[in-house]
Amino acid sequence: MTRHIRLAAAFCTLLLLALLVNATRIQVFQSRPYDDNPANRRQTIARYDQPRGAILVGGRSITGSRDSGEQLRYERTYRDGPLYAPVTGFASQEYGTTLLEHSEDGILSGTDEMLSPFPLWNDLTRAQNPGGNVVTTLNPAAQKAAYDGLGTRTGAVAAIEPSTGRILALVSTPSYDPGTLSGNGRTANRSWARLNADPDKPMLNRAVRQTYPPGSTFKVVTAAAALDAGVVTDLDAATRSPDPFRLPGTSTTLTNEGDGCADAPLRSAFEWSCNTVFAKLGVDVGVRNMSGTAEAFGFNDTGVRIPFAVSPSTFDTSVDRAQLALSSIGQYNTRATPLQMAMVAAAVANGGQVRQPYLVERTTRRGGETVSTAGSSRPVRQAMHPATAVQMKELMEDVVTEGTGTNAAIPGATVGGKTGTAQHGIGNSGTPYAWFVSWAQGERDMEPKVAVAVVVEDASADRSDISGGGDAAPIAKAVMEAVLGL
């Protein structure tokens, strides 16, 4: 009898060991497939079981969390949602995350291993860290000035600090309230359907995800290329540019909206945006040098992240001479985001150096301890010779003091700018895009403090007006004044 009891006990022990081995196999070695299985709602429930971390602007949280009392407990809330939507994006229980909410999701949701001093312990105990915070580089006054300046018009504004690449403002209109998408009920479903059906595309981030023909604002790049290549050595010497200018190899002629552009010196051609002069300069500089300068400014770079992805701005490198002429005045296949054109203005203001733009200053734990910082290790490119940058600053200042950009002048500050009215549509039938790019330096500042790019899609620009100074320049002025504290 004792023998049978021992056999039964041994068999039970083997069964127990088998259960333990199987449990270990499932919970340790096969935990990942079970965790990632769409049918497993534990991770989703745990994700929304605690408040999400904050996104901060000027030391103030622009996001929060609301206890819904449902199984997915906490829903995201937004303060001044439409104002900051092009920065935050949305965090939805139904539709996922976008923009900063997506790129910094690990920090904000508490799943990033850097938030825990003991990651292995968290893995064993399945403990979850409180969500961390994301501190942005935005200047709240500049952001508000840009948003108010655009108002009900369709367009975008990007402003950066030339010496560092810190993004000070990023606005896109029309905008939307991300909070309407936070939950998973019928309200969120209706908002999602409405926003996606809206022909004005309020969820499109025009500042970084939409490219436009930059028009005459691209003449900053062309002028820099001409000076660097030695095609122009004297800002006040005649350029031998006929008006009209026949595109090489074609019977098509290019004209100007105003008079006085024939053989105009670079200084006056830049002030009054002479298409014929810059088209010929682009041809004289050549595809190789024009492409090299454009790419040094950031065109054709597919890897820009701020930290979310930015649509690449493009300058076609496989063009004939006629197409190069059009490309050099910001038409043909030349396309740019407002952020890219802000980088162009910033490079002029920063001695020719291009600083990679960034939007996140640092990330922190909920208690405030820094997890990571940004900006210091970002690469720097030289877009033009420092001497060329000095000349370009002079040209841009002339545009504001006596050219097409006088609407951007700020008492008590030095301002440089370039206007542009970009044609588009079949046969250029669309309402022109009004552009303005600029930089500003206060009278007590040692260096320029802000560079701005503004595009207005539905500007009521008169086709006889050769610039976007009437629609876009006042918006840029308001942003620059906000940064300078004027």
Side-chain angles (χ1 to χ4, degrees):
M1 186 67 180
T2 304
R3 178 172 174 274
H4 292 300
I5 293 174
R6 285 201 303 269
L7 288 173
F11 182 66
C12 289
T13 302
L14 287 173
L15 290 176
L16 181 60
L17 288 173
L19 287 171
L20 292 173
V21 169
N22 189 54
T24 302
R25 177 180 65 85
I26 291 173
Q27 294 183 19
V28 177
F29 298 104
Q30 292 186 343
S31 61
R32 182 70 64 181
Y34 285 109
D35 284 343
D36 296 339
N37 192 308
N40 181 10
R41 286 177 54 82
R42 289 180 181 272
Q43 280 193 328
T44 304
I45 293 170
R47 175 186 179 86
Y48 297 107
D49 197 44
Q50 64 178 14
R52 193 168 172 83
I55 297 175
L56 302 169
V57 173
R60 172 175 171 260
S61 175
I62 59 171
T63 60
S65 295
R66 180 181 71 86
D67 190 346
S68 67
E70 304 291 337
Q71 188 178 50
L72 302 183
R73 184 174 174 183
Y74 286 97
E75 295 178 359
R76 193 59 147 165
T77 61
Y78 297 87
R79 178 179 292 143
D80 296 325
L83 173 62
Y84 292 107
V87 175
T88 62
F90 60 76
S92 171
Q93 295 177 350
E94 183 79 14
Y95 303 108
T97 54
T98 60
L99 303 182
L100 270 190
E101 293 279 26
H102 180 74
S103 60
E104 299 297 332
D105 182 65
I107 293 291
L108 295 168
S109 65
T111 58
D112 193 309
E113 292 183 353
M114 295 181 67
L115 292 173
S116 174
F118 306 108
L120 183 59
W121 175 255
N122 279 20
D123 288 342
L124 293 174
T125 62
R126 300 283 177 156
Q128 188 169 352
N129 298 303
N133 298 329
V134 174
V135 181
T136 72
T137 59
L138 293 179
N139 179 313
Q143 184 80 1
K144 186 72 162 55
Y147 186 76
D148 290 345
L150 284 170
T152 59
R153 293 175 290 185
T154 300
V157 178
I160 59 181
E161 187 175 65
S163 61
T164 63
R166 298 170 70 245
I167 295 175
L168 304 177
L170 204 65
V171 169
S172 176
T173 57
S175 190
Y176 71 105
D177 184 0
T180 62
L181 302 174
S182 294
N184 56 12
R186 291 182 178 179
T187 300
N189 297 152
R190 284 194 296 266
S191 295
W192 178 258
R194 175 180 54 80
L195 290 169
N196 279 282
D198 192 329
D200 291 331
K201 300 180 179 178
M203 288 196 294
L204 173 63
N205 189 339
R206 290 172 167 84
V208 296
R209 297 282 174 85
Q210 179 75 7
T211 60
Y212 303 87
S216 293
T217 59
F218 190 78
K219 291 171 184 174
V220 176
V221 178
T222 303
L227 289 166
D228 265 3
V231 172
V232 175
T233 56
D234 185 347
L235 299 181
D236 298 301
T239 55
R240 297 182 181 178
S241 305
D243 182 10
F245 172 66
R246 184 170 62 85
L247 298 180
T250 76
S251 59
T252 303
T253 56
L254 189 66
T255 60
N256 301 288
E257 297 288 349
D259 298 325
C261 286
D263 299 327
L266 182 60
R267 186 187 303 277
S268 60
F270 194 84
E271 283 181 24
W272 299 105
S273 210
C274 295
N275 285 334
T276 52
V277 173
F278 283 92
K280 185 176 184 298
L281 282 179
V283 173
D284 293 343
V285 170
V287 174
R288 181 176 178 180
N289 286 334
M290 278 298 302
S291 299
T293 300
E295 290 178 352
F297 274 104
F299 284 80
N300 298 335
D301 186 348
T302 59
V304 179
R305 304 187 69 86
I306 61 171
F308 47 82
V310 176
S311 294
S313 299
T314 56
F315 183 85
D316 198 333
T317 60
S318 56
V319 291
D320 60 28
R321 298 175 75 220
Q323 293 164 342
L324 177 60
L326 295 175
S327 298
S328 300
I329 59 172
Q331 299 289 166
Y332 189 57
N333 286 340
T334 305
R335 308 277 298 187
T337 62
L339 180 63
Q340 173 61 63
M341 294 314 296
M343 291 169 62
V344 169
V348 172
N350 194 40
Q353 288 189 336
V354 178
R355 296 276 180 174
Q356 288 295 313
Y358 65 99
L359 185 57
V360 175
E361 194 76 76
R362 65 184 182 277
T363 58
T364 70
R365 296 186 178 90
R366 179 159 294 184
E369 304 91 345
T370 297
V371 174
S372 65
T373 58
S376 59
S377 62
R378 290 175 174 265
V380 180
R381 290 193 306 271
Q382 193 72 34
M384 69 193 96
H385 295 308
T388 297
V390 172
Q391 291 176 299
M392 290 304 306
K393 285 183 71 174
E394 186 179 334
L395 291 179
M396 292 183 75
E397 288 176 38
D398 289 345
V399 169
V400 175
T401 56
E402 56 190 55
T404 59
T406 54
N407 283 339
I410 300 173
T414 301
V415 180
K418 183 69 189 81
T419 56
T421 305
Q423 308 293 336
H424 66 100
I426 299 174
N428 292 333
S429 59
T431 303
Y433 297 140
W435 275 95
F436 191 74
V437 300
S438 60
W439 53 265
Q441 177 177 345
E443 59 184 357
R444 296 186 178 182
D445 296 327
M446 298 298 293
E447 59 188 11
K449 291 298 183 182
V450 58
V452 185
V454 178
V455 63
V456 183
E457 287 188 32
D458 53 357
S460 54
D462 188 330
R463 286 185 175 276
S464 64
D465 183 8
I466 61 172
S467 77
D471 293 280
I475 301 172
K477 176 183 178 179
V479 175
M480 293 185 291
E481 286 178 327
V483 175
L484 297 177
L486 300 176

